[in-house]
Amino acid sequence: MIHKGNKIICPSCGEENLIGTLFCVQCGTYLPSGGPLRTEPLPEQEEERPARPRQEGEEGKEERALNIEVEILNTGRKVLLSADREILVGRLDAAHGIFPELDLTTDGGLEQGVSRRHARIYTREGMCFVEDLDSTNGTFLNEERVTPYLPYAFRDGDLLMFGTMRMKVHIYSNR
Amino acid sequence: MALIDAQKDYYAILGVTPDADDEAIKQAYRQGAREYHPDSGHGDVERFRQIQEAYEVLRDKALRLAYDRQRERRGLSENAPVVLELLQSRTTLAPLDVSQVVYVLVDIRPHSEQETASIRQHLNMALVVDCSTSMSGARIQNVKIAAADLLENLAPTDRLALITFNDRAEVLAPSELVENARNFKSAIASMIPGGGTEIYQGLLAGLNEVKRYAAADMVNHVILLTDGRTYGDELQSLREARQAASEGITISAFGIGEDWNDEFLDELARNGGGVSHYISSPSEVRTVLKQQIQGLCNIMLQNMKLEVNLAPYVHIRGAYRATPYLEILDFTGNVIKLGSLLLDEPVVVVLELIIEPSAIGERRIVRLDLVGDKAANAESVRLRQDVNVTFTLDVKEEPPPPKLINHLARLAVFQLQERAWKALGAGNVRQATQYLEYAATRLFDMGQRDLGQAAMLEVGRLSHGGDPTKEGRKKLRYGTRGLIAPVH
């Protein structure tokens, strides 16, 4: 979270919120996410995102690399994902330039209701987040459907479901 | 000395029924302990520990009694009619020198197995219909159809009265058992619009009809249907509604079209322990009324209240109903009135608590008591749950429960538009525009394009010096209020 002194500063409107506030009291922005996450980069832009200049001391401390392994329960396939960048979950569609890092086509993604751009997974400040991209059949975290475009933190051993496809996540920190 | 954890089902852990005697419990313990002992072939340390914990409590008469009582109070035992379940945004807090926020979600639902085979409640109700000039045409036609439907949907032993009002009230059909109601059809046909709107007169006549036959084991209810504003008798009406609620009679208010006073009807229903609805087109009257009747038949707990007992360094910043629809709740005197609990519809309440700085250690920040009357036999029910947090330097990284985030996201939008109308009422157009813009942003984020566009439309009008449309205002208020968590 973006603590400043003993307050959370809303990244959207600048309002100072008490520690523990989940939605900004002024503008309703979800606070643990670090800001409004509504603008979706186009897939093309995603490919050529410029390398962010790395600041001194930033590594190691906050951006400790995490590896996320997902185990797709119906096929038993395990995929190890490097979470140093955002992971798009969905189904490959070359015609529309959609190249998900976690492509569920071969696991029966279409039949099980996985959208082409279904959700994204990313890490921030050592926590892993999943965010549904307004998929048709929804994303579920531990059997609870999540609201689109809101990041939900998940932990090692949690159960994620994209449409009806279930998978278990394992998180390894990678020093 | 064993510690009791009422959340755990010790009986299930041992594989015995709650009425098992000491001998059976001992047997079950021995068998389980042998099977899961870490030294045995398929040992399971955690399971073994749980079996031991369960036995420690159940073997001791006093502890077992205390455990049973706690389970019952929390609605976890099979004897409790209602389940009270709590979720909190955090369980550990850093000992800061500033105030912090903790959200508590209270989920109130009927105990699943026990109540499914319940009986339908008997209704004692009055339908109070606005018959002012503005009701002419499609509106009154649809109300007539809906009223005729109502007769079909009620049981023969239910009671119904039909009242119309304009400048004064008229009892078209006094309260009568539905099976004896020969004159209802002609009464319905004789509803002819004309005159003004004076809600108080109609409400009073409706309440009087219901009062004559009011009984504790019935659902005593008045349904008010109006399309207009009432002038000057709001306060009288609200007082009457409060009085009726204290006598066990509830009121629901339905507004047709755009001209009625939403704040007044909301408050009337709130005072009267019922709900208010927005009916945008006359053809919806039938469906809405039918749903209402079905809901009334399914009432299992009435006069539901949440008593909030706060630690001295804790106070409430906000209290909200999250389902079945959003509502900002009044927490004066730390008692929150919740109306009725339906069989198939859980009530979810969210409390926003401010915690002042406190020393390290585990503490109870709030004790919640849910009280209510069973609709079937007017028997009172009381459930108790505590919320604890630990102040520690070693704060756990705990993601807030998804269910809590879902509800808070919707509440945030609902609150933004409520603030907008409030700012507008105070003449602060700039502030109102700002809030509506925020609301629109959040609505688009949530994929609610329709409501988002409605909000932007009002923003457009306001920023050009216009007034917001009545329709837009109602669409937003009742639309965001009805935003429900995505279903599986």
Side-chain angles (χ1 to χ4, degrees):
Chain A
M1 262 183 261
I2 336 95
H3 294 180
K4 192 173 179 186
N6 276 327
K7 292 272 161 86
I8 311 171
I9 311 295
C10 173
S12 183
C13 69
E15 175 79 12
E16 290 189 355
N17 286 281
L18 294 179
I19 301 281
T21 307
L22 290 173
F23 288 83
C24 174
V25 292
Q26 173 71 12
C27 70
T29 299
Y30 184 45
L31 292 171
S33 73
L37 293 152
R38 55 184 168 281
T39 33
E40 280 302 303
L42 292 168
E44 285 83 354
Q45 290 172 323
E46 212 164 34
E47 289 302 313
E48 50 190 333
R49 192 193 312 177
R52 196 161 50 95
R54 193 164 287 191
Q55 282 160 7
E56 288 293 318
E58 182 189 48
E59 215 177 351
K61 203 174 83 194
E62 291 218 318
E63 299 286 306
R64 182 172 37 128
L66 288 173
N67 280 332
I68 301 173
E69 187 190 68
V70 296
E71 182 185 350
I72 299 157
L73 294 180
N74 66 328
T75 56
R77 182 164 79 106
K78 289 184 183 175
V79 190
L80 189 64
L81 301 156
S82 170
D84 53 357
R85 51 178 300 173
E86 190 181 295
I87 301 159
L88 179 68
V89 182
R91 287 185 290 111
L92 185 97
D93 180 356
H96 292 92
I98 298 171
F99 301 100
E101 280 75 14
L102 179 55
D103 176 21
L104 298 173
T105 315
T106 55
D107 302 281
L110 180 64
E111 295 77 13
Q112 297 202 42
V114 177
S115 295
R116 278 174 290 197
R117 290 169 49 73
H118 195 104
R120 55 185 193 149
I121 292 174
Y122 57 90
T123 58
R124 183 169 289 149
E125 294 174 34
M127 297 261 273
C128 297
F129 294 92
V130 62
E131 185 183 321
D132 183 75
L133 300 173
D134 202 8
S135 64
T136 313
N137 299 303
T139 300
F140 299 77
L141 172 56
N142 296 329
E143 312 289 339
E144 185 82 26
R145 185 164 182 172
V146 304
T147 304
Y149 300 115
L150 276 188
Y152 287 76
F154 61 90
R155 286 190 285 196
D156 187 49
D158 279 352
L159 191 72
L160 282 175
M161 188 158 89
F162 302 104
T164 60
M165 189 179 292
R166 302 155 79 87
M167 52 193 76
K168 197 163 181 168
V169 289
H170 299 288
I171 300 170
Y172 307 102
S173 60
N174 174 9
R175 298 192 164 256
Chain B
M1 168 96 175
L3 267 178
I4 297 176
D5 183 349
Q7 291 296 340
K8 290 188 188 145
D9 189 346
Y10 292 146
Y11 296 107
I13 290 171
L14 288 181
V16 295
T17 51
D19 56 3
D21 61 13
D22 292 354
E23 191 52 37
I25 287 171
K26 203 167 176 182
Q27 287 287 336
Y29 164 69
R30 288 217 173 121
Q31 202 193 332
R34 214 176 299 128
E35 197 176 339
Y36 293 103
H37 194 282
D39 292 345
S40 84
H42 35 271
D44 182 335
V45 182
E46 180 54 30
R47 185 76 195 260
F48 181 68
R49 216 192 44 70
Q50 293 215 350
I51 289 172
Q52 275 190 315
E53 181 185 332
Y55 183 56
E56 290 276 288
V57 173
L58 297 185
R59 69 192 287 199
D60 184 307
K61 275 207 167 56
L63 280 179
R64 183 176 172 185
L65 193 66
Y67 168 76
D68 285 347
R69 249 193 227 136
Q70 283 191 26
R71 296 267 302 170
E72 199 164 320
R73 266 211 307 254
R74 293 193 189 186
L76 295 165
S77 106
E78 283 162 25
N79 296 333
V82 181
V83 184
L84 190 59
E85 215 177 75
L86 302 186
L87 282 178
Q88 53 198 99
S89 59
R90 301 186 287 165
T91 56
T92 56
L93 272 68
L96 304 174
D97 54 2
V98 293
S99 307
Q100 308 187 48
V101 180
V102 170
Y103 302 89
V104 178
L105 181 144
V106 189
D107 188 320
I108 307 159
R109 56 180 74 229
H111 205 288
S112 49
E113 288 118 63
Q114 196 194 344
E115 294 295 340
T116 35
S118 89
I119 37 158
R120 178 189 182 280
Q121 297 299 321
H122 290 290
L123 306 184
N124 166 28
M125 55 175 288
L127 182 65
V128 178
V129 180
D130 182 345
C131 256
S132 58
T133 315
S134 57
M135 284 291 288
S136 316
R139 286 182 181 167
I140 199 70
Q141 286 311 325
N142 277 286
V143 169
K144 282 180 178 177
I145 297 170
D149 268 10
L150 198 62
L151 281 177
E152 305 294 316
N153 288 323
L154 291 173
T157 49
D158 288 342
R159 284 194 159 272
L160 181 68
L162 184 64
I163 289 106
T164 58
F165 67 93
N166 36 43
D167 300 311
R168 58 192 186 82
E170 189 178 349
V171 180
L172 290 185
S175 186
E176 184 62 85
L177 290 173
V178 170
E179 60 187 351
N180 299 338
R182 312 243 172 276
N183 58 343
F184 269 122
K185 292 238 159 83
S186 58
I188 290 169
S190 69
M191 289 197 273
I192 298 160
T197 306
E198 277 194 35
I199 289 178
Y200 175 68
Q201 297 297 338
L203 189 67
L204 201 60
L207 285 171
N208 282 337
E209 284 304 307
V210 171
K211 252 177 223 173
R212 286 204 286 148
Y213 300 97
D217 58 352
M218 286 181 108
V219 175
N220 308 297
H221 192 79
V222 172
I223 292 180
L224 175 72
L225 266 171
T226 180
D227 72 339
R229 287 166 175 271
T230 189
Y231 295 97
D233 56 4
E234 279 105 339
L235 286 177
Q236 273 173 300
S237 304
L238 293 177
R239 203 179 316 122
E240 206 59 45
R242 263 194 302 272
Q243 172 65 26
S246 71
E247 293 171 30
I249 302 173
T250 53
I251 299 170
S252 293
F254 297 82
I256 308 173
E258 275 74 49
D259 293 320
W260 46 281
N261 181 344
D262 46 354
E263 272 160 11
F264 167 63
L265 284 199
D266 282 0
E267 205 174 337
L268 186 69
R270 190 157 44 230
N271 278 328
V275 293
S276 55
H277 277 284
Y278 165 42
I279 302 178
S280 60
S281 108
S283 55
E284 283 170 40
V285 175
R286 271 173 86 178
T287 4
V288 173
L289 215 56
K290 193 172 168 187
Q291 278 167 3
Q292 176 69 8
I293 297 296
Q294 275 164 356
L296 288 173
C297 295
N298 280 333
I299 288 181
M300 82 148 293
L301 213 58
Q302 289 180 306
N303 303 325
M304 206 166 42
K305 273 183 286 205
L306 199 59
E307 296 171 4
V308 187
N309 207 327
L310 299 160
Y313 50 90
V314 178
H315 66 267
I316 308 183
R317 178 159 76 181
Y320 317 93
R321 181 201 297 274
T323 61
Y325 56 89
L326 299 174
E327 186 187 3
I328 297 173
L329 295 166
D330 178 24
F331 51 88
T332 326
N334 292 339
V335 174
I336 301 169
K337 286 188 191 160
L338 295 173
S340 306
L341 177 68
L342 305 189
L343 268 182
D344 48 357
E345 212 168 54
V347 168
V348 174
V349 174
V350 176
L351 301 176
E352 196 178 0
L353 304 174
I354 307 284
I355 323 280
E356 304 295 341
S358 182
I360 285 178
E362 186 181 3
R363 9 200 133 251
R364 184 178 83 205
I365 50 172
V366 58
R367 161 165 285 176
L368 297 169
D369 281 282
L370 178 82
V371 294
D373 304 324
K374 272 197 201 173
N377 53 11
E379 196 178 288
S380 71
V381 171
R382 177 178 283 266
L383 298 172
R384 171 170 290 178
Q385 281 257 48
D386 291 342
V387 182
N388 297 313
V389 298
T390 308
F391 285 91
T392 170
L393 292 168
D394 183 29
V395 174
K396 269 195 276 179
E397 245 182 32
E398 40 181 350
K403 191 170 166 183
L404 183 63
I405 299 179
N406 282 342
H407 285 309
L408 285 174
R410 289 164 180 77
L411 279 170
V413 184
F414 178 68
Q415 263 183 302
L416 284 171
Q417 61 84 39
E418 286 289 288
R419 275 195 221 136
W421 308 126
K422 211 169 166 186
L424 202 61
N428 194 340
V429 179
R430 207 182 53 81
Q431 181 85 69
T433 317
Q434 176 84 77
Y435 281 136
L436 278 179
E437 269 173 354
Y438 287 145
T441 312
R442 299 293 316 138
L443 283 165
F444 284 125
D445 279 358
M446 290 164 69
Q448 297 286 341
R449 290 175 192 88
D450 244 31
L451 288 172
Q453 267 155 13
M456 280 320 286
L457 216 70
E458 302 307 317
V459 168
R461 293 179 60 93
L462 284 174
S463 51
H464 289 97
D467 285 329
T469 60
K470 286 176 194 161
E471 189 197 348
R473 173 186 161 113
K474 292 199 169 74
K475 189 168 176 183
L476 278 172
R477 282 200 78 201
Y478 292 86
T480 53
R481 188 182 88 161
L483 284 178
I484 42 164
V487 260
H488 291 208

